[in-house]
Amino acid sequence: MICFAELFVGIFSIGVGVNYGRIANNLLPPAQVSNLLKSLNINRVKVYDADPKVLQAFAGTDIELIIGLGNEYLQRMRDPQQAQTWIQQNVQPYLSQTKITCINVGNEVLGGGDTQLAAYLLPAMKTMQGALVNLGLNKQVYITTAHSLQILGTSFPPSQGAFKEDMVQYIKPILDFHAQVDSPFFINAYPYFAYKSDPNNVKLEYVLFEPNEGSVDPITNLKYDNMLYAQIDAVYSAIKALGHTDVEVKISETGWPSKGDEDEAGATVQNAGIYNRNLMQRMQQGQGTPARPSQPIDIYIFALFNENEKNGPTSERNFGLYYPDGTLVYNLGVKSYVLPRIDYSSSYKKVFSIPRLLILLLGSYSLLKR
């Protein structure tokens, strides 16, 4: 049993979700993760597969879940029967209890240099959509795919954003698909990587949402005080250049690592905390970008946990808000306040009852093992 003497809580709008990656061998079981997310009143989560243990753990939670179809499935999912079988096995049995709202078909397929995989992407998306229609599930579950910013050829000024020429052949029909089925365009946007690659010329304050002189788009005269908003508007401009103003952009991943190798500038606990705190505060305010000030930004933070089995530099394993044992990597929150001493085992459902809000704890947190 765990009691909290001082429990600091930051309350954020539902414009923020979280990515729950599991490339690790030391994470809490999915059932305990589900309890953690419920206690925080997080109601939107994105995962990268359709693991039955995860889907079962989220049953009855009312958490909106985006599940993933891995890149390794794309070739097979072009077959209508295989696509329908996959949905019948991995989606349909859980829908009565688990709120699956989206299937993310592939992750960062375009821009990686694999032209064969790129050619499989849209056919797989279309076939999965057709299977949802056949099963009568297309009103509950939508189809999309997440892209990296590598698909952009021009990102500044934002008004001149454009996709790489060799990407247009893939992206234009994908945009047509999104417009037809009314699903969003997912982009993984990390200002951290821009800073890491050029720390001498990219100002840290600009990428961390800290006070700075900003940059001005010379075409629109709009001022940008942070890189993420400029990246979002650049994607919208690139989409418009291909003839679409009817597709919404959602940020499927963004975050900042708390640790990195010696050559990974800016990867510190302090900067990670600043980035996510400032981002969440802006989301709480319902901010839009300079080019779309009245349209709140839709964001999923990467990631819930540090993942110790991810490949690559040290930063790749340290994007989490939490350590694997459920303790926070750094303090998070806006408009924080202190709750009375509570007994987590019996009272969290009563205490954390603010509807439709995303809550993140401040300070050390140890999850009750059930």
Side-chain angles (χ1 to χ4, degrees):
M1 183 177 298
I2 293 175
C3 296
F4 300 90
E6 283 190 334
L7 186 60
F8 293 90
V9 179
I11 302 174
F12 308 97
S13 71
I14 60 170
V16 181
V18 67
N19 284 274
Y20 171 26
R22 301 181 352 269
I23 306 177
N25 61 12
N26 57 355
L27 296 179
L28 296 168
Q32 292 181 19
V33 174
S34 175
N35 288 334
L36 168 63
L37 294 169
K38 285 189 295 183
S39 74
L40 303 178
N41 216 16
I42 292 175
N43 55 28
R44 298 199 310 157
V45 174
K46 178 169 160 281
V47 296
Y48 293 85
D49 55 20
D51 189 316
K53 292 180 181 178
V54 174
L55 300 183
Q56 291 166 4
F58 283 89
T61 63
D62 205 36
I63 291 173
E64 295 181 6
L65 197 63
I66 296 175
I67 63 173
L69 179 75
N71 294 353
E72 67 274 15
Y73 289 95
L74 296 185
Q75 183 176 6
R76 281 178 280 165
M77 289 307 112
R78 298 177 302 161
D79 182 311
Q81 186 55 54
Q82 291 203 45
Q84 184 155 318
T85 298
W86 191 91
I87 292 172
Q88 287 174 320
Q89 293 177 348
N90 296 284
V91 179
Q92 198 169 29
Y94 304 96
L95 277 176
S96 63
Q97 294 293 321
T98 303
K99 201 171 182 179
I100 300 170
T101 61
C102 170
I103 303 172
N104 188 56
V105 178
N107 187 56
E108 297 188 347
V109 173
L110 303 182
D114 189 334
T115 56
Q116 188 62 70
L117 195 62
Y120 295 152
L121 179 57
L122 181 59
M125 293 172 69
K126 286 184 173 180
T127 306
M128 294 290 284
Q129 174 69 20
L132 287 175
V133 172
N134 289 343
L135 295 169
L137 303 177
N138 58 302
K139 300 300 182 183
Q140 291 176 258
V141 183
Y142 66 85
I143 298 293
T144 189
T145 186
H147 307 280
S148 79
L149 280 176
Q150 293 297 315
I151 61 175
L152 284 182
T154 302
S155 59
F156 196 86
S159 62
Q160 301 301 299
F163 296 116
K164 291 178 178 175
E165 290 186 9
D166 61 341
M167 291 291 100
V168 171
Q169 62 179 313
Y170 305 110
I171 296 173
K172 176 62 167 68
I174 286 176
L175 289 171
D176 295 340
F177 169 83
H178 285 309
Q180 180 183 0
V181 304
D182 192 27
S183 64
F185 189 88
F186 276 9
I187 194 80
N188 298 337
Y190 289 90
Y192 162 72
F193 290 121
Y195 179 77
K196 172 187 170 180
S197 65
D198 193 10
N200 293 325
N201 294 307
V202 176
K203 294 193 175 182
L204 185 60
E205 293 80 7
Y206 182 64
V207 292
L208 290 180
F209 305 96
E210 291 285 87
N212 67 95
E213 64 271 23
S215 60
V216 176
D217 186 320
I219 308 299
T220 61
N221 206 35
L222 292 174
K223 183 176 180 179
Y224 290 82
D225 66 357
N226 70 86
M227 181 176 285
L228 181 64
Y229 287 11
Q231 291 174 334
I232 295 171
D233 277 348
V235 173
Y236 269 115
S237 294
I239 290 173
K240 184 177 181 180
L242 295 185
H244 282 281
T245 57
D246 53 355
V247 177
E248 181 185 3
V249 174
K250 294 190 177 186
I251 305 304
S252 40
E253 293 181 14
T254 193
W256 196 283
S258 60
K259 185 179 180 181
D261 296 320
E262 287 186 8
D263 61 347
E264 294 191 288
T268 67
V269 168
Q270 180 181 9
N271 288 339
I274 291 171
Y275 182 85
N276 282 318
R277 281 194 299 270
N278 286 342
L279 172 63
M280 292 178 188
Q281 186 171 22
R282 287 169 179 255
M283 296 306 98
Q284 183 197 27
Q285 296 166 0
Q287 284 191 2
T289 65
R292 286 168 174 74
S294 62
Q295 181 177 336
I297 300 167
D298 196 319
I299 280 179
Y300 284 78
I301 293 214
F302 188 88
L304 185 59
F305 294 110
N306 285 342
E307 299 172 73
N308 69 342
E309 292 189 325
K310 293 195 76 172
N311 296 323
T314 297
S315 62
E316 287 294 316
R317 294 176 287 281
N318 289 278
F319 272 89
L321 302 176
Y322 285 88
Y323 292 112
D325 65 356
T327 58
L328 276 165
V329 177
Y330 44 83
N331 290 342
L332 275 174
V334 293
K335 294 188 178 178
S336 60
Y337 59 92
V338 181
L339 289 179
R341 184 181 183 89
I342 62 170
D343 179 340
Y344 176 82
S345 62
S346 62
S347 304
Y348 79 88
K349 288 186 178 179
K350 295 179 181 179
V351 174
F352 297 105
S353 60
I354 304 170
R356 306 288 296 169
L357 293 175
L358 186 157
I359 301 179
L360 291 171
L361 299 181
L362 279 158
S364 293
Y365 176 93
S366 296
L367 182 64
L368 174 63
K369 291 179 171 57
R370 294 185 173 179

